[in-house]
Amino acid sequence: KMDVYLPGGDATDRPAILTVHGGAWTYFDNRSYRYVARRFARSGYVVANMNYRLVPDGVFPNSVHDVACALAYMQNHADELGIDPTRIAIMGYSAGAHLATLVAVEPGDPLLTPDCAEGAPMRPAAVVSGAGPMDMRALSGSGIVRDFMGGRERDIPELYALASPVEHASADDPPTLFVHGRFDLFVPIEQSRTMRDLLRAE
């Protein structure tokens, strides 16, 4: 489910933002992004502040499907939401940034095709990635990552690659803003820098 925040007035074709909360794929919900959603709505954006399945129900790729379904819903119901379906950005923090970025660069793999009536979304207009894991293989020593992935990298290397946005960077990916602390204790800043460099190279 998601909460929708509307700006004042009755304008149509407004820009929109899909917000995806963090929490190591296991914790929290969209309440942690309420203040962000309200701030953007006051600035004229329609904001969909979503929840997604958490581990264990949200083990990869289930939570990815949820984010893709939410984006597709916004695009498919743009008229009733009063938004321009070509002007939807997706924004996430930490695990939410990973999910948002992966949906934005999704390579068309059948395993990542969302399992909902809305179908697969179009690429978002832009991405804001806050301290998101971009290469799951480099974080495979973490029990949190293993729980999300459903196993160890040595047993399912193809899934670790599929879940890594760095594996899917291409020239047609949307513009992306990376926000990352230099001394992040959980996701090294090199994760964002590497993805940034790949997008620039493409």
Side-chain angles (χ1 to χ4, degrees):
K1 296 181 178 180
M2 59 188 181
D3 299 323
V4 177
Y5 295 75
L6 301 173
D10 56 359
T12 59
D13 294 328
R14 293 173 292 201
I17 303 171
L18 174 63
T19 53
V20 190
H21 70 84
W25 305 281
T26 306
Y27 309 106
F28 309 134
D29 57 29
N30 66 349
R31 287 175 293 182
S32 62
Y33 252 19
R34 279 179 180 171
Y35 73 99
V36 174
R38 290 170 177 156
R39 177 65 183 85
F40 280 127
R42 288 197 299 269
S43 297
Y45 295 89
V46 173
V47 183
N49 186 27
M50 70 169 292
N51 282 316
Y52 53 87
R53 284 172 284 181
L54 302 175
V55 172
D57 293 338
V59 69
F60 181 80
N62 291 347
S63 55
V64 182
H65 290 173
D66 293 346
V67 176
C69 288
L71 179 58
Y73 181 91
M74 295 179 73
Q75 293 166 344
N76 295 341
H77 297 264
D79 287 345
E80 61 194 83
L81 293 171
I83 63 178
D84 181 345
T86 68
R87 299 172 66 205
I88 302 172
I90 184 168
M91 172 182 177
Y93 175 72
S94 190
H98 165 257
L99 298 173
T101 308
L102 186 58
V103 166
V105 303
E106 201 274 297
D109 189 285
L111 191 61
L112 296 182
T113 300
D115 53 351
C116 62
E118 298 299 332
M122 301 181 295
R123 291 183 186 272
V127 181
V128 179
S129 172
M134 296 291 115
D135 189 340
M136 303 302 284
R137 296 160 299 189
L139 302 172
S140 61
S142 165
I144 291 172
V145 170
R146 290 195 297 270
D147 289 345
F148 169 66
M149 291 302 305
R152 296 179 180 273
E153 183 191 5
R154 66 171 177 259
D155 299 321
I156 48 172
E158 70 287 351
L159 291 186
Y160 273 76
L162 183 62
S164 298
V166 294
E167 283 294 303
H168 313 303
S170 66
D172 60 349
D173 289 332
T176 303
L177 171 65
F178 294 98
V179 182
H180 207 131
R182 183 177 299 172
F183 302 110
D184 192 304
L185 296 177
F186 301 102
V187 181
I189 194 172
E190 286 74 22
Q191 293 262 321
S192 288
R193 287 172 171 165
T194 297
M195 186 64 178
R196 174 203 64 189
D197 293 345
L198 287 169
L199 291 172
R200 284 177 173 173
E202 293 292 338

